[in-house]
């Protein structure tokens, strides 16, 4: 068993580490200042400029297939890169990416949606959650009713990431109430100017998702993505595209946070000695160090399964659950080690505290991951200790 990175992997990882350190970390104070004033951390132009800078060194479309101008990197490599990006809270992502399900578009749709999204001239959002249907996504109520050769969409989506900025959405609606999720849900590509509107949702994070309102939005048949009735399969494919990537990012955040805690513990003195001398503090540092390593291997193992073409859902659920839980415990400890300063907005710890909380909720809550893991074990779809097959 070889845990080492290849020379190429190490080079790619180190390039991103340097990019984060040189280009992103210096922006942190300004990003914090803007987000507190309810402005986006990076403007579209700033994000674009950074993306183009990365592109000059070949970092473009990390997981986009090479035939579409991307790097087509493996899941394992992508997880390593995400961990590096997680070391800062500057909201950067590499350019050249598109939602995986857009690759199911037909040729005409690819020209209108997929290619401009990869180019960065169009932006998408993925809309399945509704006020009455989150974990239980099969309970969606948004409908698309056939009218001549058109479809008329009615309903409301909620908590849609990027929904305020997107110029088109991939929205999931019931096209056959009899069949429901089993062949009765369809995905539509709907431009904002076809008639849907969005409303900002204020959250404890400094950037808000949106509600999307569809009020008799008429779209032609040509807006169906994939096949009629295939929507639920596409939705699950989107959600399953890289659940390991969320905890991957948390690895980097936790590494940075624990480094801050170590530095503070070594320098802050109470009762005549650095707090690092106290066992209470040492144990928090030790537990955090162990948990970060455990998380790294859960994430990389899930990513490795993706690369092998194996059914990785069980491993991905375990990585997502553990990542959400441990990242929240770690940021809480780091805040505690910083005492009152940890609670202030002078340090970014509280920013991460709020951001990491989301990890336990979106793309499957802790409870839903446990439900999946338990079901797999109880029904024999996965074995305890069966990670290596
Ligand atoms: C910031 C943010 C961004 C998001 N981005 C998107 C997006 O881009 N697109 C999109 O479609 N959705 C998005 N979501 C929605 C997100 O996926 C849902 O919020 C999440 O799946 C939980 O659904 P819910 O909020 O309806 O909670 P509910 O499903 O109502 O759950 C409430 C509580 O009950 C628990 N629970 C539910 N069922 C069970 C069960 N069977 N057993 C035990 N416990 C259970 C849950 O774990 C949770 O603790 C986003 C959410 C947030 C907060």
């Amino acid at each position: 068993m070889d845990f080492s990175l290849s020379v190429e992997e190490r080079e790619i990882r180190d390039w991103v580490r340097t990019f984060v350190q040189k280009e992103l970390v210096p922006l942190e104070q300004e990003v914090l200042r803007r987000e507190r004033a309810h402005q986006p951390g990076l403007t579209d132009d700033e994000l674009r400029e950074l993306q183009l800078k990365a592109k000059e060194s070949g970092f473009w479309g990390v997981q986009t297939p090479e035939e579409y101008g991307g790097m087509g990197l493996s899941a394992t490599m992508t997880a390593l890169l995400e961990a590096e990006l997680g070391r800062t809270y500057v909201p950067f992502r590499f350019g050249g990416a598109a939602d995986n399900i857009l690759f199911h578009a037909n040729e005409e749709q690819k020209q209108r949606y997929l290619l401009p999204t990869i180019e960065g001239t169009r932006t998408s959002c993925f809309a399945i959650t509704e006020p009455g249907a989150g974990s239980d996504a099969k309970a969606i109520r948004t409908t698309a009713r056939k009218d001549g050769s058109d479809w008329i969409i009615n309903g409301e989506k909620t908590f849609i990431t990027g929904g305020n900025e997107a110029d088109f959405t991939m929205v999931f609606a019931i096209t056959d109430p009899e069949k429901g999720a089993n062949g009765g849900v369809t995905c539509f590509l709907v431009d904002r100017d076809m008639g849907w509107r969005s409303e900002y949702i204020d959250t404890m994070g400094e950037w808000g998702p949106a509600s999307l309102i569809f009020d008799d939005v008429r779209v032609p048949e040509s807006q169906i993505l994939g096949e009629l009735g295939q929507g639920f399969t596409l939705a699950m494919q989107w959600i399953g595209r890289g659940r390991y990537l969320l905890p991957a990012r948390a690895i980097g955040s936790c590494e940075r946070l624990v480094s801050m805690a170590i530095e503070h513990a070594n320098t802050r003195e109470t009762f005549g000695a650095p707090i690092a001398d106290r066992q209470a503090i040492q144990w928090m540092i030790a537990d955090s160090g162990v948990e970060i390593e455990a998380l790294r291997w859960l994430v990389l193992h899930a990513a490795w399964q993706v690369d092998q073409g194996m059914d990785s859902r069980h491993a991905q659920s375990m990585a997502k659950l553990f990542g959400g839980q441990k990242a929240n415990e770690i940021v809480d400890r780091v805040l505690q080690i910083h005492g009152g300063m940890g609670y202030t907005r002078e340090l970014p710890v509280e920013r991460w505290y709020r951001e990491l909380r989301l990890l336990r909720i979106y793309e499957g809550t802790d409870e839903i991951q446990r439900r999946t893991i338990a079901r797999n074990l109880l029904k024999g779809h996965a074995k305890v200790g069966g990670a290596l097959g």
Side-chain angles (χ1 to χ4, degrees):
M1 199 171 292
D2 185 357
F3 289 95
S4 58
L5 298 181
S6 68
V7 173
E8 193 196 0
E9 286 169 338
R10 193 175 294 274
E11 275 173 12
I12 293 176
R13 188 210 50 190
D14 289 351
W15 186 91
V16 177
R17 185 168 288 182
T18 308
F19 181 81
V20 168
Q21 202 54 42
K22 246 178 74 185
E23 305 290 344
L24 304 183
V25 170
L27 304 175
E28 287 185 345
Q29 285 309 314
E30 177 60 12
V31 164
L32 270 190
R33 192 195 63 72
R34 287 188 197 169
E35 289 184 347
R36 282 167 195 159
H38 290 283
Q39 295 160 354
L42 289 177
T43 63
D44 290 347
D45 286 348
E46 287 166 338
L47 176 62
R48 185 84 180 151
E49 199 181 311
L50 286 164
Q51 288 177 338
L52 292 176
K53 207 174 254 187
K55 191 181 183 186
E56 283 169 19
S57 298
F59 285 82
W60 182 258
V62 170
Q63 285 201 305
T64 302
E66 290 176 48
E67 59 184 292
Y68 291 94
M71 299 171 85
L73 292 183
S74 67
T76 321
M77 196 62 239
T78 309
L80 292 166
L81 296 196
E82 276 300 309
E84 293 305 319
L85 293 182
R87 297 173 80 89
T88 178
Y89 49 82
V90 173
F92 174 80
R93 58 184 185 278
F94 289 112
D99 302 86
N100 61 347
I101 59 173
L102 283 181
F103 289 89
H104 289 277
N106 59 36
E107 279 315 311
E108 187 264 336
Q109 293 169 337
K110 277 185 182 164
Q111 296 299 325
R112 283 166 56 216
Y113 296 98
L114 175 67
L115 301 184
T117 304
I118 292 174
E119 271 310 304
T121 52
R122 298 201 74 176
T123 49
S124 62
C125 65
F126 169 87
I128 189 158
T129 303
E130 298 183 1
S135 305
D136 184 8
K138 289 184 177 169
I140 59 168
R141 293 233 179 115
T142 295
T143 55
R145 180 173 50 81
K146 190 96 199 241
D147 185 44
S149 61
D150 292 343
W151 290 87
I152 298 177
I153 306 175
N154 277 290
E156 181 179 342
K157 298 293 177 180
T158 192
F159 294 130
I160 307 307
T161 301
N164 294 301
E165 299 80 24
D167 71 301
F168 76 94
T169 181
M170 296 160 285
V171 66
F172 295 82
I174 296 170
T175 41
D176 185 341
E178 298 278 296
K179 292 186 182 156
N182 300 320
V185 171
T186 301
C187 179
F188 293 87
L189 296 164
V190 191
D191 296 16
R192 189 182 287 267
D193 61 18
M194 288 173 173
W196 57 270
R197 61 193 164 81
S198 60
E199 286 171 6
Y200 181 86
I201 301 172
D202 209 2
T203 66
M204 69 189 266
E206 277 142 346
W207 56 98
S211 293
L212 308 190
I213 294 107
F214 292 82
D215 200 357
D216 282 336
V217 174
R218 178 180 285 272
V219 300
E221 177 94 10
S222 58
Q223 296 308 109
I224 291 178
L225 179 65
E227 304 288 326
L228 181 70
Q230 196 203 0
F232 209 74
T233 312
L234 286 178
M236 291 306 109
Q237 201 176 325
W238 186 92
I239 292 168
R241 79 202 181 286
R243 203 164 248 160
Y244 64 96
L245 291 174
L246 303 176
R249 207 168 178 110
I251 296 171
S253 309
C254 290
E255 285 174 347
R256 176 95 183 271
L257 283 160
V258 175
S259 304
M260 286 173 63
I262 290 171
E263 197 181 325
H264 186 73
N266 278 326
T267 49
R268 176 70 175 174
E269 293 199 1
T270 63
F271 307 99
I275 57 172
D277 285 2
R278 315 292 173 190
Q279 196 176 50
I281 303 292
Q282 291 169 359
W283 286 23
M284 286 198 263
I285 303 272
D287 286 349
S288 301
V290 172
E291 288 161 6
I292 290 172
E293 290 312 313
L295 176 59
R296 188 188 323 282
W297 299 116
L298 276 178
V299 166
L300 289 177
H301 179 254
W304 174 81
Q305 286 200 348
V306 173
D307 288 334
Q308 302 307 308
M310 296 163 73
D311 183 346
S312 61
R313 288 173 295 180
H314 189 69
Q316 293 211 44
S317 280
M318 291 203 292
K320 165 80 167 54
L321 172 65
F322 193 75
Q325 298 261 299
K326 293 305 165 190
N328 276 275
E329 286 173 28
I330 289 170
V331 71
D332 188 67
R333 289 183 200 126
V334 170
L335 196 150
Q336 191 69 14
I337 289 170
H338 281 85
M341 279 305 291
Y343 193 66
T344 68
R345 292 192 147 183
E346 268 181 58
L347 294 182
V349 183
E350 65 84 30
R351 162 69 161 71
W352 258 309
Y353 193 94
R354 287 179 288 115
E355 177 171 317
L356 289 168
R357 188 62 185 81
L358 180 59
L359 192 52
R360 296 184 54 206
I361 298 170
Y362 72 162
E363 296 198 25
T365 63
D366 285 1
E367 292 73 26
I368 294 304
Q369 305 307 336
R370 285 198 177 96
R371 176 175 175 264
T372 304
I373 295 163
R375 204 166 44 184
N376 288 343
L377 292 173
L378 290 165
K379 294 199 184 297
H381 304 315
K383 283 195 202 122
V384 177
L388 296 178

